[in-house]
DNA sequence: AGTGAAACACACACCGT
DNA sequence: ACGGTGTGTGTTTCACT
């Protein structure tokens, strides 16, 4: 159920580099392979580790535009809330979406190729929805830091 | 140098699930193991795949607070810009940081345990810096979507 | 819970096409 | 460039402490 220090160490290692072998992790946390493997399997099974992914180089692949957009829905749009969220999930350009505290707003992280790509997205996939009242775009310039790791 | 359709397919698969074996990927893209393995190795070597990470369940680990903070630096703070960025990179609570177009602002993605954890962070690690002029917190409520995948 | 060994699958290299 | 085959290395299980 709960986690001890070794479990946290394992998680900390894996969230930085999932290509580490069980033997390497076992070595770093001071365990032998078998018990280390069992712990990792347990951490996966209990849901602490949700999945493993490859991180790609966005710039190298031509995605030079990263925008955080605030989307305000009209008040009667609450009815279509579920539909809006479902739609958002189907948009690959939207890599993240959160509803914000205190407002009827959503914040979207949108990745695209150039301003043209971003404008196309906003026009064809956001503004075309009747219940979208306002879209405010926060364009990022340089990425100082980007990590998927939690502060364990 | 450039990528064909098969390469993109491989990248698309790996950015969703990096635990796929070469054989499984080869099967899905219609190649046999050897050429598929060579392509993946090339994609890593050329930097398209930067690394592989395990994604952990933030809520399960007690990180129930996710805030996007806009930080405004005072104009003479430009001198300490490099120092600020270095400091930000050392803070584990800051998982992302971007400088924003058009302003002297930075946007920080901060993950913490409860409002208490967040307040502690802002007080002890942001407001204590003389050149930090203003911190505006956008608190997220529910996560509609979160993905690390690019829209290939 | 940790250790050791054994079965198995996979990653990686070397061939031929 | 793709495909087949082999060998070492990592993963996964099992029997034991």
């Amino acid at each position: 159920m709960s986690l001890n220090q070794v479990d946290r160490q394992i998680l900390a290692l894996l969230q930085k580099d999932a290509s580490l072998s069980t033997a390497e992790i076992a070595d770093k946390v001071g365990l032998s392979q078998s018990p280390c493997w069992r712990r990792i399997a347990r951490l996966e099974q209990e849901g602490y580790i949700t999945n493993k992914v490859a991180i790609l180089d966005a710039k190298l692949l031509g995605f030079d535009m990263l925008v955080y957009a605030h989307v305000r829905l009209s008040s009667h749009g609450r009815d279509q809330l579920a539909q809006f969220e479902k739609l958002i999930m189907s948009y690959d350009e939207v890599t993240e979406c959160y509803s914000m505290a205190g407002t009827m707003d959503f914040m979207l992280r949108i990745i695209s190729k150039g301003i043209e790509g971003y404008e196309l997205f906003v026009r064809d996939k956001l503004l075309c929805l009747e219940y979208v009242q306002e879209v405010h775009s926060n364009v990022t310039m340089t990425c100082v830091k980007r990590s998927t790791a939690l502060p364990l």
Side-chain angles (χ1 to χ4, degrees), chain A residues 14-15 18 44 47-54:
Chain A
L14 281 175
Q15 75 174 343
E44 282 176 352
Y48 291 103
I49 299 171
T50 58
N51 59 338
K52 294 177 183 178
V53 298

Side-chain angles (χ1 to χ4, degrees), chain A residues 53-80:
Chain A
V53 298
I55 304 295
L56 309 183
D57 190 312
K59 298 240 174 61
L60 203 55
L61 287 158
F63 298 99
D64 51 356
M65 190 84 182
L66 174 59
V67 179
Y68 281 89
H70 277 90
V71 177
R72 167 157 297 171
L73 302 191
S74 60
S75 49
H76 85 284
R78 290 163 184 266
D79 307 334
Q80 293 113 320

Side-chain angles (χ1 to χ4, degrees), chain A residues 59-127:
Chain A
K59 298 240 174 61
L60 203 55
L61 287 158
F63 298 99
D64 51 356
M65 190 84 182
L66 174 59
V67 179
Y68 281 89
H70 277 90
V71 177
R72 167 157 297 171
L73 302 191
S74 60
S75 49
H76 85 284
R78 290 163 184 266
D79 307 334
Q80 293 113 320
L81 212 108
Q83 193 211 320
F84 176 72
E85 295 187 352
K86 199 176 159 191
L87 215 51
I88 287 298
M89 283 196 280
S90 75
Y91 294 158
D92 282 347
E93 300 96 330
V94 180
T95 61
E96 296 177 45
C97 173
Y98 304 96
S99 74
M100 305 308 285
T103 61
M104 265 304 290
D105 284 15
F106 287 87
M107 194 172 80
L108 278 58
R109 181 181 188 272
I110 296 154
I111 196 147
S112 49
K113 296 189 178 183
I115 305 185
E116 311 80 32
Y118 180 66
E119 280 191 297
L120 272 174
F121 171 80
V122 173
R123 251 209 356 235
D124 298 348
K125 296 187 173 171
L126 289 182
L127 292 178

Side-chain angles (χ1 to χ4, degrees), chain A residues 125-136:
Chain A
K125 296 187 173 171
L126 289 182
L127 292 178
C128 64
L129 304 168
E130 335 79 75
Y131 48 89
V132 168
Q133 202 172 43
E134 193 193 336
V135 177
H136 184 81

Side-chain angles (χ1 to χ4, degrees), chain A residues 4-70:
Chain A
N4 61 28
Q5 206 50 48
V6 178
D7 290 321
R8 281 172 203 285
Q9 269 184 273
I10 293 174
L11 290 176
L13 287 167
L14 281 175
Q15 75 174 343
K16 297 261 176 203
D17 184 2
S19 67
L20 289 167
S21 72
T22 318
E24 286 171 310
I25 296 170
D27 187 48
K28 284 175 197 282
V29 301
L31 247 60
S32 54
Q33 298 197 22
S34 296
C36 185
W37 181 85
R38 272 196 294 253
R39 273 169 191 264
I40 296 171
R42 208 205 59 182
L43 290 168
E44 282 176 352
Q45 187 198 331
E46 291 182 348
Y48 291 103
I49 299 171
T50 58
N51 59 338
K52 294 177 183 178
V53 298
I55 304 295
L56 309 183
D57 190 312
K59 298 240 174 61
L60 203 55
L61 287 158
F63 298 99
D64 51 356
M65 190 84 182
L66 174 59
V67 179
Y68 281 89
H70 277 90

